[in-house]
Amino acid sequence: MPNKNIKRPQDFKRKASKAATNPKATQQDFLELLTSIREEKDLDQMQELFVSIFSMYGLTTDEVAALLFSTMRQVLHEQQNKDMLADKFSIDVTKLGAEGVLQVQRALLSAYLDKVSANEA
């Protein structure tokens, strides 16, 4: 089920792909789909893909939570994000525990939703 808080581009046109239409899609099919998604930057489609991957691997909800948390933590530790958080907010991501990572994620999500709401107005 697509997230209604994520805005699609106005020129959005869904493209059928091997990965989206074939339940036995290969990793290469998914990589091709990811390339297409990056070009379109359609967050709803990315969400559908990730949920499909989670399902394909048979991940439990706690495993998905751990995976998404560790993904966010890794993204925060990328140099450009470390620098931005340090410069703009005096946050040292190397010192963040689990709660700190979740608080930063919550703040980033809130800012994103504000931006989407402003664009819809």
Side-chain angles (χ1 to χ4, degrees):
M1 176 154 81
N3 184 338
K4 299 301 179 194
N5 291 325
I6 300 175
K7 187 175 184 334
R8 291 181 179 184
Q10 291 197 341
D11 61 347
F12 173 78
K13 292 180 183 168
R14 184 166 303 261
K15 296 177 185 173
S17 69
K18 291 179 190 175
T21 58
N22 180 0
K24 295 186 181 197
T26 65
Q27 284 185 329
Q28 183 60 37
D29 293 334
F30 281 106
L31 290 175
E32 289 171 10
L33 179 58
L34 285 171
T35 300
S36 170
I37 289 170
R38 179 169 171 87
E39 292 168 1
E40 296 173 12
K41 203 170 188 179
D42 181 339
L43 298 181
D44 287 329
Q45 190 176 13
M46 290 174 68
Q47 178 188 22
E48 290 175 20
L49 175 62
F50 293 149
V51 170
S52 295
I53 292 170
F54 300 156
S55 180
M56 179 177 71
Y57 279 94
L59 298 180
T60 61
T61 53
D62 57 337
E63 290 170 333
V64 171
L67 179 62
L68 294 175
F69 170 81
S70 65
T71 301
M72 186 67 199
R73 186 175 182 281
Q74 185 173 347
V75 167
L76 291 177
H77 280 80
E78 290 181 8
Q79 195 60 50
Q80 72 265 19
N81 295 327
K82 266 190 194 179
D83 294 344
M84 182 273 296
L85 290 168
D87 294 344
K88 290 188 176 185
F89 305 105
S90 300
I91 297 173
D92 181 355
V93 297
T94 63
K95 295 180 180 178
L96 293 178
E99 189 59 35
V101 171
L102 293 172
Q103 290 295 333
V104 170
Q105 185 175 17
R106 183 176 291 128
L108 292 169
L109 175 60
S110 179
Y112 178 81
L113 292 175
D114 288 346
K115 183 171 47 172
V116 169
S117 293
N119 288 337
E120 290 178 351

